[in-house]
Amino acid sequence: MGPLGAAPRPPAATWDLAGRVVANGPVSQGLRVLDVELPRAIDFLPGQFAMLNLTGPARLVFRRPFSILATAGRTISFLYRAIGRGTSLMAGLAPGAAVECLAPLGQPFPAPAAATPPVLILAGGVGLPPLYAWFARYRRPADLACFGGRDLDDVPWDLVPPPWQVSVDRLDGAAARSVFHGLVTELALACVGEPGDATPRLVLACGPTPLLRAAARLARERGWPCRVSLEEHMGCGYGVCKGCVVPVRDPGPPGWRHATSCTEGPVFDAALIDWDRFGHAAAGGPA
Amino acid sequence: MNRPGWWRLDPCAPFALGPRTLPGRIWTASGCFGYGLHGHDIAAPDLATPYEGIGAVVTKTVTPQPRPGNPMPRLVELPFGAINSIGLENVGFAAFLRDVLPELEARGVPNVVSLAATRPAEFGTMAARLYEVGRGLRHWHGVELNLSCPNVAEGGHDFGSDPATVAACVAAARPHLPDRILVAKLTPNVAQIAPLAAAAAQAGCDAVAAINTVVGLDVDTASGRPVLPRRFGGYSGLAIQPIALAKVDEIVREVGVPVVGVGGIVDARDALKFFALGCVAVQVGTAQMRDPFAAARLAAELRR
Ligand SMILES: Cc1cc2nc3c(=O)[nH]c(=O)nc-3n(C[C@H](O)[C@H](O)[C@H](O)COP(=O)(O)OP(=O)(O)OC[C@H]3O[C@@H](n4cnc5c(N)ncnc54)[C@H](O)[C@@H]3O)c2cc1C
Ligand SMILES: Cc1cc2nc3c(=O)[nH]c(=O)nc-3n(C[C@H](O)[C@H](O)[C@H](O)COP(=O)(O)O)c2cc1C
Ligand code: FES
């Protein structure tokens, strides 16, 4: 066991289950929670995800990946934003509707061990679920959690009660509790203080790519370890299609390789990601 | 699904193909179920493993050297299919022989190894080496030649679109596989597929697999640019099923070589269409990516 906690262990047995929607509604202006009842309870570790699909004529060609927010008995919950075809169809699911669920998948965030420094959590928007799950399961007194939303209406207040700290990009009214106006990384910096006088931290981040880059930079500048959950596009979610790759540094030539995000990730050591290649057209041979 | 009266095969019963007996007629298609090693951790209430009833996993295509594959994004989802541009990302032949093939044997996964090369003669070298390593393996059943790649020796034209080159590739591999099947996987991106199938048959393949993906392109209307960095990709899934059926029919009626049907097979009814045209086996591709149990459920449904 390293100082960051238990090494990511291979995912618990994954189940392909036919679930039923028990609840599906807004928790803020832009975010919704979907609760699905499965035929059996599944174990998951914070950071693991599920591949979901609709059934019947609305069934999508590929399932969609969603981080697991929580489980309770046979119910599994997701936090999502309707941004496209699949998530919009998802938003229309009424209680009783059928949902296909392949879960749990992927590598989790590390569980804390005695030697793990206090964590600094940065969650942006729909990047909240894996870190909500981490904080709910492992939280220690010195751990810090920051959530960033677009504006006050976008924040799912019930999911980020104190001691969660909240930032909003646009402050357009009065909040019921103290809220930081600015980026979640700026909030995090305000929380941990100046470089040098701050206690070392393990940074855990999930959210839009600019947030992940900023979190990785923050950690790198201070020499802190950092884990990020990447929301790379996926086809299968279980390792068979190579439709989800991420460039990572590699000791052998040419110095980098493609990691399979759905099985080697979605949680990666930020220092391993080749950020210069990430999100850009990387090199490849003829098709 | 009600099985029609004409349907008499047990798709999960062993059947003879060329020099070998295969465990069943429902296979997974190359590139859509990895190397066949990712299903062991997955369970479902109705089936213990995704391998139940599967006759063969056709591995992801393996090339002489490892390949990093193409830049992201690599997949475009469309209403009834997908365009992919994976770029043959694979571990390379040496690592495949060392790490993957023994694992497939140890886990008892029936498999057919998909190979691609840049020169026809290279197919011979690879087949010979594969046989040297694999001749004692029970679960390795043979080779599928992925002929839809650029032929370096011929100035980068597709291997697959020229009957003489198809014949050269098959002829190069054949002598090295005395008791294993040799399947030539054909491209649909030609006006007539029968001449390709005939060339492969004459050169000694045991079956042809039809079809590989259909050349396709999608445009991002917001940017006005193709979605895939390399513009073109391979179209697959339900949408290409009629194309696959037409190509299969052309081969069956004009050539008579055994055909392994592939293209847009999602459920048991889809597979029945290919069997009705005379296919000896079928492969499930894109549907297997969505559903690890797609092929296994399809096999269970068609079982008498
Ligand atoms: C491991 C993982 C965990 C995720 N967890 C969550 C979560 O908890 N909640 C949540 O709301 N979303 C999550 N996502 C993102 C979610 O999967 C996408 O929002 C969803 O697939 C979009 O589907 P769609 O059909 O609505 O969009 P589409 O119509 O397919 O696409 C709409 C837009 O979304 C983009 N897009 C498509 N797929 C993805 C993707 N996988 N990641 C990022 N952008 C994408 C497209 O490029 C397009 O711009 C996660 C993604 C991954 C890989
Ligand atoms: C993501 C993806 C990767 C593929 N990779 C390969 C490959 O490596 N070699 C090959 O011969 N065919 C490959 N194919 C083609 C399939 O094996 C199959 O011929 C094609 O997808 C049509 O079948 P389908 O409609 O059932 O998917 C790939 C297809 C997809 C969707
Ligand atoms: S999504 Fe298919 S390999 Fe990761």
Side-chain angles (χ1 to χ4, degrees):
Chain A
M1 199 185 282
L4 301 185
R9 64 169 211 213
T14 301
W15 284 85
D16 185 14
L17 299 170
R20 296 245 157 237
V21 173
V22 287
N24 183 16
V27 287
S28 75
Q29 202 169 67
L31 300 173
R32 302 172 63 86
V33 167
L34 175 73
D35 296 325
V36 177
E37 189 181 59
L38 302 173
R40 51 170 293 137
I42 59 152
D43 289 326
F44 85 103
L45 294 168
Q48 290 190 299
F49 66 99
M51 292 295 285
L52 300 183
N53 206 344
L54 299 100
T55 64
R59 200 175 185 209
L60 302 162
V61 170
F62 297 130
R63 301 188 196 211
R64 300 290 193 265
F66 295 92
S67 296
I68 301 171
L69 178 71
T71 56
R74 290 190 290 118
T75 303
I76 186 167
S77 304
F78 304 97
L79 177 76
Y80 68 102
R81 195 191 295 280
I83 58 153
R85 184 155 164 262
T87 44
S88 301
L89 286 166
M90 234 166 101
L93 290 175
V99 172
E100 293 176 351
C101 176
L102 183 66
L105 293 158
Q107 301 300 329
F109 279 109
T116 308
V119 301
L120 170 63
I121 285 175
L122 291 100
V126 282
L128 177 62
L131 295 167
Y132 169 91
W134 194 99
F135 205 55
R137 192 174 302 191
Y138 301 129
R139 184 188 143 207
R140 299 160 304 165
D143 292 336
L144 266 176
C146 303
F147 171 80
R150 294 173 180 176
D151 52 38
L152 293 174
D153 290 337
D154 188 47
V155 178
W157 296 104
D158 292 345
L159 293 177
V160 289
W164 275 93
Q165 313 245 19
V166 174
S167 71
V168 289
D169 302 347
R170 283 188 311 275
L171 188 56
D172 43 9
R177 54 187 256 220
S178 100
V179 167
F180 181 89
H181 182 195
L183 298 175
V184 67
T185 37
E186 293 165 352
L187 166 63
L189 280 176
C191 293
V192 297
E194 293 304 310
D197 58 55
T199 32
R201 290 193 173 265
L202 164 61
V203 178
L204 306 178
C206 184
T209 303
L211 183 156
L212 301 182
R213 284 184 191 272
R217 197 179 320 116
L218 184 160
R220 193 172 56 239
E221 281 166 8
R222 296 178 181 229
W224 295 350
C226 176
R227 298 285 186 278
V228 293
S229 177
L230 301 180
E231 297 197 346
E232 193 43 273
H233 290 217
M234 288 186 179
C236 68
Y238 72 103
V240 299
C241 76
K242 301 291 174 193
C244 65
V245 296
V246 177
V248 295
R249 296 179 208 289
D250 188 58
W256 68 281
R257 68 178 179 91
H258 275 138
T260 305
S261 188
C262 64
T263 53
E264 296 179 60
V267 176
F268 287 93
D269 182 342
L272 279 183
I273 292 167
D274 188 336
W275 292 102
D276 294 336
R277 280 194 178 79
F278 181 71
H280 302 285
Chain B
M1 185 199 63
N2 289 327
R3 287 178 289 259
W6 60 264
W7 177 244
R8 306 226 172 275
L9 284 176
D10 177 355
C12 302
F15 77 105
L17 185 58
R20 191 125 187 124
T21 299
L22 274 284
R25 297 172 188 267
I26 311 296
W27 304 359
T28 57
S30 179
C32 301
F33 200 38
Y35 299 112
L37 296 173
H38 280 285
H40 292 91
D41 293 331
I42 308 180
D46 55 332
L47 290 167
T49 87
Y51 302 96
E52 242 163 79
I54 290 191
V57 169
V58 182
T59 67
K60 173 72 193 173
T61 295
V62 183
T63 53
Q65 300 302 321
R67 288 174 56 97
N70 287 343
M72 291 285 285
R74 295 174 164 191
L75 292 169
V76 186
E77 192 194 86
L78 294 166
F80 300 105
I83 308 179
N84 87 81
S85 170
I86 306 295
L88 290 186
E89 174 175 334
N90 77 98
V91 296
F93 194 49
F96 176 84
L97 294 180
R98 187 186 63 228
D99 304 332
V100 182
L101 196 61
E103 195 61 28
L104 287 166
E105 180 72 7
R107 299 192 193 189
V109 178
N111 65 87
V112 169
V113 177
S114 171
L115 298 178
T118 47
R119 293 180 172 77
E122 235 171 352
F123 282 110
T125 322
M126 291 175 91
R129 176 82 184 117
L130 181 55
Y131 193 73
E132 205 177 292
V133 174
R135 59 188 302 171
L137 304 180
R138 272 179 57 217
H139 301 288
W140 170 55
H141 291 288
V143 166
E144 184 178 272
L145 302 180
N146 176 356
L147 300 172
S148 306
C149 338
N151 179 352
V152 169
E154 296 288 330
H157 301 299
D158 247 21
F159 276 119
S161 44
D162 170 33
T165 317
V166 167
C169 295
V170 172
R174 180 73 275 179
H176 306 293
L177 302 166
D179 57 356
R180 308 288 150 142
I181 61 165
L182 177 59
V183 179
K185 186 168 181 186
L186 304 180
T187 173
N189 303 309
V190 289
Q192 288 181 304
I193 201 168
L196 299 176
Q202 274 152 25
C205 74
D206 302 306
V208 297
I211 56 175
N212 211 315
T213 51
V214 178
V215 171
L217 185 154
D218 192 30
V219 175
D220 173 11
T221 49
S223 69
R225 287 199 293 268
V227 179
L228 293 172
R230 291 177 175 256
R231 305 181 77 87
F232 302 102
Y235 194 23
S236 68
L238 191 59
I240 70 163
Q241 188 191 97
I243 301 170
L245 288 168
K247 298 292 182 192
V248 164
D249 193 53
E250 183 186 332
I251 300 167
V252 170
R253 292 189 307 117
E254 293 184 30
V255 185
V257 63
V259 180
V260 178
V262 47
I265 298 176
V266 177
D267 62 21
R269 185 182 306 274
D270 301 326
L272 276 181
K273 297 182 188 177
F274 285 82
F275 284 118
L277 293 180
C279 286
V280 297
V282 296
Q283 300 178 1
V284 183
T286 306
Q288 187 70 19
M289 289 167 57
R290 171 174 68 194
D291 178 2
F293 290 88
R297 292 211 174 99
L298 191 160
E301 255 197 88
L302 288 181
R303 226 170 167 161
R304 297 189 69 89

